[in-house]
């Protein structure tokens, strides 16, 4: 075993400190080794049937506790555990090839999932469920822990290769006191959700994390990016989530210029925290939560109800709803089997193949909007051309939605912002994606985070081009990318012409406080300084040096 350091380094993505025992998330189950059967084939087949029945019962129990789509999915998966093709195939492997029960189940499930994948469409999507059932049966047969999130009842710090956004969204911050992952980046959806939940998190953690035994008391510093595995004083880490500064609900600069400060929301429950934090509206309502677990499209009625929950919290205020951003995080309609999913048929592009899904969603948004007084705007992700803009505007108007805009998150759109904004009512700047596409650096790959920085003049120039085009046509520009929640970058963005900022509710106070300390002329001067730097690091240093308030606030 390697000697493990008492402090492991990573990239800090969600502030706060905590100490708790470490829990490793098992990523996958290894294929069982080939070994002699050792028992009679009849006994081996009986063992398989017993394990499969136990898994079926376990899944039925989970289904009974779940609701909606999750219940449906778990019930169907439970039936798979008793599938005659899966179990019959395994028994044949036992009888004909004398494989052990676990290897026989493994091989049979592999055959089943390959057949499903070859069928394509909805059937191909079931292949992952067969693998889930396989893992559960093999775990029963061999006594190894199941992969995925275990049921967590005691405070802990989670260590994983990566967590899915769906898993992260369901974490309870009182139980999960910290997250460390080997993969992921500062703008990965998992990092965004951790910040939303106020759970300290570190990505790109030193690979030695795998050497730290489960149950070890560790301490996470999500502000500095360290996980202490020994020699720390627990009193220093006594569950200190980074306490957000308060916000009085009206963003402005020192000279009185109004800059609306809004919240990003990834699920309806986030609306309550946003309101409590003083958000002036919602600058980005991500709607993937409705499509995360879905094997099929959520009904219009369900969508109306979910959007309505958010609109109800913001009477008279602007709520910008993003239509489904089909991509890697949305199993529903996600591109499969393509070499570069982030560059595939995703975002609004997918509407060309699945037009009715977007039409239904826009209908649902319009219906929900009609039931509330919130000023509902809609925005389409990943728009790249003026003609895509025309298409979206047409769909939005057809649904009866008055205000429709585009997310500028592809460099082509920023470079062509003039004609795009001549068609759209407003722009929002998706800088998380804009950065990844400008640098050709996957936002999920931690080690590229230093390269792909919002401080680089390439990014600042694309923001400036978008804002100039918007100003010429009198269109607002909202910035909901993660950089909006970093006060020194918020100042630069305002200097470049952004008219409203939207961020995790917890960041509103600190951003408001720093904006209050500068005039518009100063923001423009700092933006100019940053644009003049050849390196992002230098730009950050220069701008921070001109904002003494950051030190006063301990940021
Ligand atoms: C972005 O890309 O900046 C954005 C706001 O959207 P998301 O992070 O959901 O891709
Ligand atoms: Mg995006």
């Amino acid at each position: 075993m390697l000697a493990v350091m008492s402090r492991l380094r990573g990239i800090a993505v969600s502030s706060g400190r905590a100490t708790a025992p470490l829990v490793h998330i098992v990523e996958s189950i290894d294929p069982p080794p080939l070994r002699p059967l050792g028992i009679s084939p009849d006994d081996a087949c009986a063992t398989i049937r017993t394990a499969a029945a136990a898994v079926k019962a376990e899944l039925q129990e989970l289904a009974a506790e779940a609701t909606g789509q999750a219940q449906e999915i778990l019930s169907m998966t439970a039936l798979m555990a008793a599938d005659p093709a899966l179990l019959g195939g395994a028994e044949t492997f036992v009888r004909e090839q004398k494989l052990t029960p676990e290897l026989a189940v493994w091989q049979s499930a592999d055959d089943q999932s390959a057949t499903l994948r070859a069928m394509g469409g909805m059937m191909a999507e079931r292949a992952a469920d067969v693998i889930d059932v396989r893992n559960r049966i093999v775990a029963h047969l061999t006594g190894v822990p199941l992969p995925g999130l275990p049921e967590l009842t005691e405070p802990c710090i989670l260590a994983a290769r990566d967590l899915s956004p769906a898993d992260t969204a369901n974490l309870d911050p009182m139980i999960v006191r910290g997250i460390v992952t080997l993969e992921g980046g500062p703008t990965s959806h998992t990092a965004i959700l951790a910040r939303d939940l106020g759970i300290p998190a570190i990505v790109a953690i030193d690979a030695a994390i795998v050497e730290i035994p489960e149950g070890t008391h560790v301490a996470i510093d999500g502000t500095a990016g360290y996980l202490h595995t020994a020699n720390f004083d627990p009193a220093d880490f006594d569950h200190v989530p980074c306490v957000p500064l308060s916000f009085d609900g009206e963003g402005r600069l020192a000279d009185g210029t109004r800059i609306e400060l809004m919240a990003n929301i990834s699920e309806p429950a986030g609306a309550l925290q946003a309101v409590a934090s003083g958000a002036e509206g919602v600058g980005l309502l991500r709607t993937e939560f409705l499509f995360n677990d879905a094997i099929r499209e959520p009904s219009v009625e369900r969508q109306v109800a979910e959007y309505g929950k958010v609109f109800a919290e913001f009477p008279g205020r602007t709520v910008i709803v993003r239509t489904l951003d089909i991509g890697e995080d949305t199993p529903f309609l996600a591109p499969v089997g393509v070499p570069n999913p982030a560059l595939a048929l995703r975002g609004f592009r997918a509407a060309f193949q699945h037009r009715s899904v977007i039409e239904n969603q826009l209908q649902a948004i319009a219906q929900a909007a009609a039931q509330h007084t919130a000023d509902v705007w809609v925005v389409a992700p990943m728009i790249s051309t003026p003609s895509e803009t025309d298409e979206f505007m047409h769909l939005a108007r057809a649904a009866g939605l008055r205000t429709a805009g585009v997310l500028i998150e592809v460099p082509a759109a920023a470079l062509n912002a003039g004609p795009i904004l001549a068609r759209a009512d407003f722009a929002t700047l998706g800088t998380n994606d804009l950065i990844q596409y400008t640098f050709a650096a996957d936002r999920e790959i931690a080690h590229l985070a230093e390269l792909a920085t919002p401080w680089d003049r390439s990014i600042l120039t694309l923001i400036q081009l978008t804002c100039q085009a918007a100003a010429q046509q009198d269109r607002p520009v909202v910035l909901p990318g993660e950089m909006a929640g970093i006060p020194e970058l918020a100042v630069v963005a305002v200097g470049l012409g952004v008219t409203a900022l939207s961020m995790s509710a917890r960041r509103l106070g600190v951003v408001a406080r720093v904006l209050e300390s500068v005039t518009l002329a100063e923001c423009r001067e700092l933006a100019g300084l940053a644009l003049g730097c050849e390196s992002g690091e230098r730009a950050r240093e220069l701008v921070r040096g001109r904002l003494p308030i950051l030190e006063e606030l301990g940021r």
Side-chain angles (χ1 to χ4, degrees), residues 439-500:
F439 284 98
D442 190 329
R443 62 196 267 189
E444 303 288 338
I445 297 182
H447 301 286
L448 297 177
E450 271 165 45
L451 165 71
T453 163
W455 286 102
D456 194 85
R457 76 201 296 187
S458 60
I459 305 300
L460 303 180
T461 305
L462 291 170
I463 296 175
Q464 189 183 42
L465 284 173
T466 306
C467 293
Q468 283 168 348
Q472 273 164 15
Q473 317 197 46
D474 207 18
R475 307 282 199 250
V477 180
V478 184
L479 170 61
E482 286 300 292
M483 63 184 278
I486 300 170
E488 54 269 42
L489 279 165
V491 166
V492 170
V494 169
L496 293 171
V498 164
T499 55

Side-chain angles (χ1 to χ4, degrees), residues 6-178:
S6 63
R7 197 171 81 154
L8 305 180
R9 205 189 148 82
I11 299 177
V13 295
S14 180
S15 327
R17 279 179 289 161
T19 176
L22 188 70
V23 169
H24 285 286
I25 308 291
V26 180
E27 194 185 340
S28 61
I29 286 196
D30 291 334
L34 185 63
R35 51 181 185 80
L37 179 53
I39 51 172
S40 76
D42 281 349
D43 285 350
C45 291
T47 322
I48 292 175
R49 282 193 295 274
T50 309
V55 166
K56 184 180 171 196
E58 192 179 279
L59 285 162
Q60 281 170 332
E61 210 171 296
L62 288 174
E65 286 164 12
T67 52
Q69 296 275 359
Q71 186 172 52
E72 212 174 299
I73 293 169
L74 286 165
S75 306
M76 283 171 71
T77 315
L79 290 181
M80 276 188 180
D83 179 17
L86 175 68
L87 301 183
E91 293 195 10
T92 308
F93 278 121
V94 169
R95 293 190 192 284
E96 292 182 2
Q97 297 186 25
K98 304 284 176 289
L99 297 190
T100 56
E102 56 274 19
L103 188 53
V105 169
W106 191 274
Q107 300 283 40
S108 175
D110 268 3
D111 289 353
Q112 290 291 310
S113 68
T115 310
L116 288 170
R117 270 197 297 273
M119 289 161 95
M122 291 277 285
M123 297 311 283
E125 285 162 27
R126 310 302 301 167
D129 300 341
V130 175
I131 299 301
D132 181 33
V133 165
R134 175 197 75 185
N135 290 345
R136 286 172 185 274
I137 300 177
V138 170
H140 258 273
L141 288 166
T142 57
V144 299
L146 263 182
L149 265 186
E151 196 177 331
L152 301 163
T153 51
E154 298 295 323
C156 62
I157 289 175
L158 288 185
R161 171 156 300 281
D162 206 354
L163 283 173
S164 74
D167 279 345
T168 315
N170 291 324
L171 296 178
D172 175 353
M174 290 315 292
I175 299 284
V176 178
R177 298 287 173 87

